[in-house]
Amino acid sequence: MVHGTLGELQGGEIVMKTQESIEKVVQIQHPLEPLTAEEISKAVSILKEQKNLSNSVRFAQVVLQEPLKETVLSYQEGDFIAREAFVILLDNKTEQTYEAAVSITEEKIILWDHIPGVQPGFMLDEFEECEQVVKNNPEYQEALLKRGVTDPDLVMIDPWSAGYFDIEEDEGKRVARALAWVRKSSNDNGYAYPLTGLIAVVDLNKMEVMRIEDYAVKPLPPLDGNYTPETSDSIELRKDLKPLEIVQSEGPSFEVDGHHIRWQKWDFRFSFTPREGLVLHTVGYKDKGKIRPILYRASLAEMVVPYGEASDMHNRQNAFDAGEYGMGQLANSLTLGCDCLGEIRYFDATMTDSKGNIKTIPNAICLHEEDYGIAWKHTDWRTEEVEVRRSRRLVISFFATVANYDYGFFWSFYQDGTMEMEVKLTGMLNTGALDEGEKSKYGTMVAPQLNAPFHQHFFNFRLDTNLDGINNSVVEINTVPETKGPHNPYNNAFHIETKTLKKELEAQRSMDLASQRTWKIVNPNSLNAVGQPVGYKIMPGENCFPFAYDDSSLIKRAEFIKNHLHVTKFDREELYASGKYPNQHKGGDGLTKYAQANRNIENEDIVVWYTMGHHHITRTEDWPVMPTAYINFQLKPVGFFDRNPALDLPRPTPKTCHSKIESLCKH
Ligand code: CU
């Protein structure tokens, strides 16, 4: 970061004066460009100065206050761009949360609101401080000794969100429940040795241990869970892998301008927030000589991992990984050749630590192209003429580590107009220790005396649609068998029944395999060549239902996981499936609350929310590190284009065999 003071700031142009008085001009090219490091620092210092903030105030997030949709959609190059930051602050001393909006352009605070009774999500600094406070606590050290742990430095403390369980002592406090594991040496995999039965409950405002819950002393499982050749003698690396190189001798086919990406006929912007991670904006596809809009904004609106274990140790484990932990702030720095192959363009993610200092995650976002097999093919068997086209996709992604688990979020764009979100789940299982001979009803023994509780991972994606314009509808499509009778002489006929979802409360829908139920987003005002409203279908992949009861804390706080689809009327304040402040929230917020208004959603500016769930009955193969599980959904054009939009793909060039092994080239 450049040290210096900000000088003139007019329109979208920041003139920055460095210590050497060199003026650097940062041109903001679009109202949705994320805040630069300089702008974030400016917003923080405006708040610190004008509100005279003390050291006890933490910055939970500083992000671009996105301009109104109308402003963005009508923006023309050269228009004045007002730059604003949206900030959430937590005062540890007064234990109060504030929201602020700062005009960076005008150097003033335009909103300052006290938000009573809420807890912002965890901040990274809190994790580190919490771990230290627990380890330094004498009562905790005693509990460790009871378990034969003499060196607290080898203990791993994972602060888990407390959820809401009506515990009087926790009421109004900022609480973390610290679960613990122990390493046998500094590079050991501690998740092999859970300190089951021991939970330190920490007040994060006072940064002190409130109480220690000690349910049982369990023996440490006998085997290590090491997974690298350096730490495990049992891993002999296979030696038969030949290099696989991705070569793009002329470079990639995409163009990048700030956070604006053009690739083939796709055109979109992206940003990155500490809570949501990667966000897509103004996604469109070039067709009929113009860019036809598809999505205004697409983001991870929440993620919930409910555990299905009944024991005191695990029965309150429900991690809201976006709203409580901040998927974006937990992003990894990616490495070329390891995380991503080929011609890669990386982007940094810029945010703050809780003190408001700039924190940059280098190479947090990866952009690259991938070969994706066959786009389309036909062989004319009479003439033996073959037409085949290769498919390529553009992938923009990031990976985040949430304590034991690792999640990759991959948006892909295909040449046939399809979009896809794929989540990759890997990393470490959450574990507990078992007594010798003990079995858990609610988990799998993945190694001797090591239990991995059953759980689920729910992801909700908020899709602010913009199919050929902001007024859209959602149509549910069910396939039904034709009735029996003379009109169906061989009882084979089937047809579809379509129903437009008109109100928010009727737009809480679930998948149904029996009717091949799908949902299509349509624009009733824009018709295709055969007179149908243009549309994009949500193509679900793997999915599941929750198993917690309706009166459970989990369902009250994350009711959205009961349905795979929600549709709401657009409101720029409604961004999160379980509400803005899910941390320690009792429930009833988010989609539950948004839909209460039961607004009209037919031919309106609507938002489509898709929930997908990975049902994780743990396996021995998931240990000691989990092979990646993939879960996805697609947005597929259905009547959006008049015909296959990938007809214009050029023929691939036939290659001669390059193999050095002659026998492989022979037919
Ligand atoms: Cu899992």
Side-chain angles (χ1 to χ4, degrees), residues 297-341:
R297 192 182 195 277
S299 58
L300 174 70
E302 191 50 274
M303 194 201 137
V304 186
V305 188
Y307 281 74
E309 165 81 65
S311 72
D312 288 328
M313 182 63 204
H314 298 287
N315 57 13
R316 281 162 283 185
Q317 279 177 245
N318 297 309
F320 288 51
D321 292 62
E324 291 174 342
Y325 291 85
M327 199 55 86
Q329 69 171 346
L330 300 172
N332 299 163
S333 272
L334 302 171
T335 307
L336 185 61
C338 302
D339 291 295
C340 323
L341 283 187

Side-chain angles (χ1 to χ4, degrees), residues 405 425 429 455 457 614 616 626:
Y405 246 99
L425 303 89
L429 293 169
H455 58 276
H457 306 253
H614 176 62
H616 197 171
M626 199 180 124

Side-chain angles (χ1 to χ4, degrees), residues 247-251 343:
V247 179
Q248 291 183 273
S249 53
E250 295 174 32
E343 287 292 317

Side-chain angles (χ1 to χ4, degrees), residues 263-264 285 370-378 387-393 413-418 636 644-652:
W263 178 74
Q264 307 274 292
Y285 191 98
E370 287 178 0
D371 181 87
Y372 197 68
I374 304 299
W376 56 264
K377 177 170 181 165
H378 182 60
E387 287 293 344
V388 59
R389 302 292 183 269
R390 290 210 67 82
S391 172
R392 202 185 288 191
R393 63 182 185 183
F413 298 85
Y414 294 83
Q415 289 159 315
D416 66 356
T418 301
K636 190 173 184 165
N644 182 349
L647 288 181
D648 56 356
L649 291 177
R651 283 196 182 100

